[in-house]
């Protein structure tokens, strides 16, 4: 069984500040982890993914995430927030041989000018 | 290269009506999925398919049916629409070849309102 917990349903940061979105996972098999972004009235777009290679994963739009097995975490960061980063972000988990992708409940990121 | 195409984009149904949400992919992916998205709830898996002719239930299958007669198409059927089925529906496909997971591709969604 697999599950994902996203801490904080809403996060607000000032433009230019650090973005940190938290994700903790539970998995009975080695996990594959994903971050997706959803802009208003649009579908999901893959930001980055971890599939057991390098633990620090770089994605699009300056985002990155670090897989920490000891903490069962996969937090998403960006050094400097931009107004265009305002969106909803979803963490998701699956595993090799697992047929299903399980999503967290999402974190809505607001950027303060 | 169209990817995953969902139709319609928007639909309003009356209680008790039926409809089919269409999903087609042109990437020859073997896995396909239907999710629903409700505010504050993330995405919940309704049904999925690991190949043509094979379907299985996800977390929230009640009130829905699917079929997978071809690799490309994975329609979702609502037989008796209920207000609880008001949601945004996403179709996705995924390719796994010789143990390598090439990841998921999502459609742009169908916004359904049942009144």
């Amino acid at each position: 069984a697999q599950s994902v917990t996203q801490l904080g349903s809403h996060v607000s940061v000032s433009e230019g500040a650090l973005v940190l979105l938290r994700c903790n996972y539970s998995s009975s098999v080695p996990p594959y982890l994903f971050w997706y972004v959803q802009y208003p009235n649009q579908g999901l777009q893959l930001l980055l993914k971890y599939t057991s290679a390098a633990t620090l994963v770089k994605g699009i739009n300056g985002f990155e995430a670090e897989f920490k097995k000891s903490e069962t975490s996969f937090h998403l960061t960006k050094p400097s927030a931009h107004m265009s980063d305002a969106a909803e972000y979803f963490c998701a988990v699956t595993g090799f041989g697992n047929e299903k992708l399980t999503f967290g409940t999402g974190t809505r990121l607001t950027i303060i000018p | 290269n169209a990817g995953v195409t969902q139709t319609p984009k928007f639909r309003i149904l009356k209680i008790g009506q039926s409809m089919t949400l269409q999903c087609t992919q042109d990437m020859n992916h073997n896995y396909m999925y239907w999710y629903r998205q409700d505010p504050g709830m993330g995405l919940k898996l309704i049904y999925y398919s690991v190949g043509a002719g094979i379907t299985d239930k996800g977390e929230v299958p009640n009130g829905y049916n699917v079929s997978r007669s071809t690799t490309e198409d994975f329609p979702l059927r609502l037989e008796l629409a209920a207000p609880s089925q008001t949601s945004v529906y996403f179709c996705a496909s995924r390719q796994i070849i010789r143990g390598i997971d090439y990841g998921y591709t999502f459609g742009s969604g169908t916004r359904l309102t049942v009144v």
Side-chain angles (χ1 to χ4, degrees):
Chain A
Q2 296 170 308
S3 64
V4 168
T5 302
Q6 291 185 242
L7 297 175
S9 57
H10 292 85
V11 171
S12 296
V13 302
S14 298
E15 190 175 15
L18 171 71
V19 175
L20 171 60
L21 304 182
R22 300 178 185 274
C23 173
N24 288 89
Y25 70 90
S26 172
S27 178
S28 55
V29 297
Y32 293 170
L33 293 155
F34 304 79
W35 275 99
Y36 286 88
V37 61
Q38 184 180 36
Y39 298 103
N41 299 314
Q42 295 188 25
L44 279 75
Q45 180 182 2
L46 180 66
L47 271 180
L48 51 79
K49 63 180 179 181
Y50 166 78
T51 55
S52 74
T55 56
L56 181 62
V57 182
K58 295 187 183 297
I60 61 172
N61 301 337
F63 284 94
E64 63 182 35
E66 186 172 8
F67 172 71
K68 292 186 176 180
K69 184 177 179 180
S70 61
E71 300 177 7
T72 61
S73 69
F74 191 58
H75 302 329
L76 182 70
T77 60
K78 182 174 180 177
S80 178
H82 193 272
M83 295 300 295
S84 61
D85 295 327
E88 189 153 21
Y89 292 79
F90 293 93
C91 184
V93 63
T94 186
F96 179 76
N98 192 321
E99 297 161 340
K100 306 174 190 177
L101 186 63
T102 301
F103 285 86
T105 52
T107 298
R108 185 169 299 278
L109 177 65
T110 300
I111 310 299
I112 303 167
Chain B
N1 192 0
V4 177
T5 302
Q6 291 184 238
T7 57
K9 293 190 183 302
F10 303 92
R11 183 72 184 268
I12 298 174
L13 276 183
K14 294 184 178 178
I15 295 172
Q17 286 185 321
S18 62
M19 77 163 294
T20 299
L21 282 66
Q22 301 292 345
C23 176
T24 187
Q25 52 99 1
D26 62 358
M27 299 170 287
N28 202 34
H29 285 182
N30 42 9
Y31 291 70
M32 295 188 75
Y33 303 82
W34 274 106
Y35 288 88
R36 59 176 289 172
Q37 182 183 25
D38 301 297
M41 301 294 289
L43 281 79
K44 299 293 186 184
L45 182 63
I46 304 171
Y47 271 95
Y48 67 101
S49 169
V50 301
I54 306 169
T55 62
D56 209 343
K57 296 178 180 179
E59 299 174 79
V60 290
N62 291 342
Y64 306 95
N65 279 299
V66 293
S67 60
R68 184 93 183 272
S69 57
T70 66
T71 299
E72 294 79 18
D73 299 307
F74 191 42
L76 178 71
R77 179 86 178 159
L78 284 71
E79 291 294 349
L80 291 171
S84 61
Q85 294 178 304
T86 294
S87 189
V88 181
Y89 292 84
F90 288 99
C91 180
S93 70
R94 178 188 187 192
Q95 183 68 304
I96 301 177
I97 300 176
R98 297 188 192 92
I100 299 174
D101 190 336
Y102 291 89
Y104 291 74
T105 301
F106 281 84
S108 56
T110 295
R111 186 175 297 273
L112 176 67
T113 303
V114 182
V115 296

